Amino acid sequence: MPRTLLRTALLPAGLLAPLCAPQAGATGVPAGTVIENVATASYSNGSGTASIQSNKVSLRVDELLDVAVAGLASAPVPIAAGTAALPYAVTNSGNGPEAFALTAEAAVAGNPFNPTVQGIVIDSNGNGTYDPGVDTPLVPGAATPALAADAAARVFVLVGLPAGVADAATSQVRLTAAAVTGAGTPGTAFAGRGEGGVDAVVGATTARSAALAAVITRIGAVSLTKSAAIVDPFGGSRPLPGALVTYSLVARIVGSGSAEGVVVSDGVPTGTTYQPGTMKLDGAALTDAADSDAGSAGTAGISVALGTLLSGSADRTITFTVKIN
């Protein structure tokens, strides 16, 4: 990237100073700084004392290319449906302004599954939270704005879940940053490509750095158990004509996540007749009509909307009664 473009997008040092990850300090004198030195000699001879100055030696400090990447999440970021935002800090630890190309990789050795990388965004407002529509997405293959020496950018890698992932599984995602000017073996020089036209020289980090952050799946599932209690016309519990059969349906959330839009339905068995007004949810009566409560019932069967079941929430029990014809 041309230096003129880097400067127009420059993010000043300390822009994101509150980042909670250790930041590597920029290396030494700023790139392009002119260091000048003149030596002096004093002496005496038979005619008196004198002093002289040497010629002036001027040096312009080359740019050192270094970067540090750190994951900012102290624990794996939960993910269920939708998108999880993994936070990282990208710090320019060189001595001149530099932009960094970012790549995110989900195929990390040891992962039980590979998250689906959806994109990389810059934390534009610096609040530490991913704000869709506010934070700036990077086009695939694009770089950060130029960062001043010691400046850090917080970025988010957005990931989703592939199908068939187990609950409570943890996987890692690697973010890599590389100096746009160049990276490689320490000491590699790029003539004239540093700040102000000085040379840019690869530092000890190889001008490339990577860090890992983790996601943990929070997936909920619903188990449904059905049982029946019979009261026959003679006070017993045999399935005789005229006997009343009360069905109990117990819905339970399993796993560490939630289940949304849960609806439990059950048909009236052939050879039986639904008994109006017998439907209940957790012991509270529901009307048979499709009205403001959670249930509806008729000759064909019953339906009860349970909404969202959260991990650790109590079982929900639905009962209704039919008569054996």
Side-chain angles (χ1 to χ4, degrees):
M1 180 181 293
R3 283 285 160 180
T4 53
L5 295 181
L6 289 178
R7 283 194 288 272
T8 59
L10 184 63
L11 298 182
L15 176 68
L16 298 180
L19 291 177
C20 297
Q23 298 182 26
T27 304
V29 178
T33 299
V34 177
I35 296 176
E36 297 181 329
N37 180 262
V38 175
T40 301
S42 60
Y43 61 93
S44 60
N45 55 23
S47 63
T49 62
S51 66
I52 60 168
Q53 288 187 328
S54 71
N55 59 296
K56 181 188 295 184
V57 175
S58 297
L59 302 173
R60 293 189 70 197
V61 177
D62 285 340
E63 181 174 342
L64 199 60
L65 302 173
D66 274 317
V67 62
V69 180
L72 298 179
S74 59
V77 176
I79 182 172
T83 297
L86 301 182
Y88 301 79
V90 178
T91 302
N92 178 8
S93 50
N95 68 334
E98 184 63 30
F100 299 94
L102 303 180
T103 56
E105 180 187 8
V108 176
N111 278 354
F113 70 94
N114 292 332
T116 303
V117 175
Q118 300 172 340
I120 301 174
V121 298
I122 301 289
D123 185 9
S124 303
N125 56 13
N127 67 352
T129 301
Y130 170 53
D131 299 309
V134 176
D135 292 331
T136 305
L138 292 180
V139 176
T144 68
L147 303 179
D150 263 345
R154 189 192 306 265
V155 302
F156 299 104
V157 176
L158 307 182
V159 299
L161 284 183
V165 178
D167 181 46
T170 300
S171 284
Q172 295 181 310
V173 176
R174 178 183 292 110
L175 178 70
T176 300
V180 168
T181 299
T185 303
T188 300
F190 301 94
R193 295 184 60 187
E195 178 68 1
V198 299
D199 293 348
V201 181
V202 175
T205 65
T206 72
R208 183 187 302 271
S209 179
L212 296 169
V215 293
I216 184 168
T217 58
R218 295 294 186 224
I219 298 173
V222 176
S223 72
L224 187 62
T225 304
K226 183 174 182 178
S227 61
I230 303 172
V231 178
D232 66 37
F234 308 109
S237 58
R238 296 182 178 277
L240 301 172
L244 296 175
V245 182
T246 298
Y247 290 110
S248 293
L249 308 173
V250 178
R252 174 174 299 157
I253 183 73
V254 294
S256 61
S258 62
E260 301 177 354
V262 180
V263 177
V264 176
S265 302
D266 197 3
V268 173
T270 301
T272 69
T273 300
Y274 173 70
Q275 301 300 287
T278 60
M279 182 175 52
K280 296 181 179 180
L281 173 60
D282 298 329
L286 299 175
T287 61
D288 292 344
D291 50 23
S292 60
D293 69 22
S296 62
T299 57
I302 63 101
S303 179
V304 179
L306 301 181
T308 298
L309 299 183
L310 301 175
S311 175
S313 61
D315 295 348
R316 307 299 304 275
T317 301
I318 301 163
T319 59
F320 68 97
T321 300
V322 301
K323 178 185 283 188
I324 298 176
N325 297 335

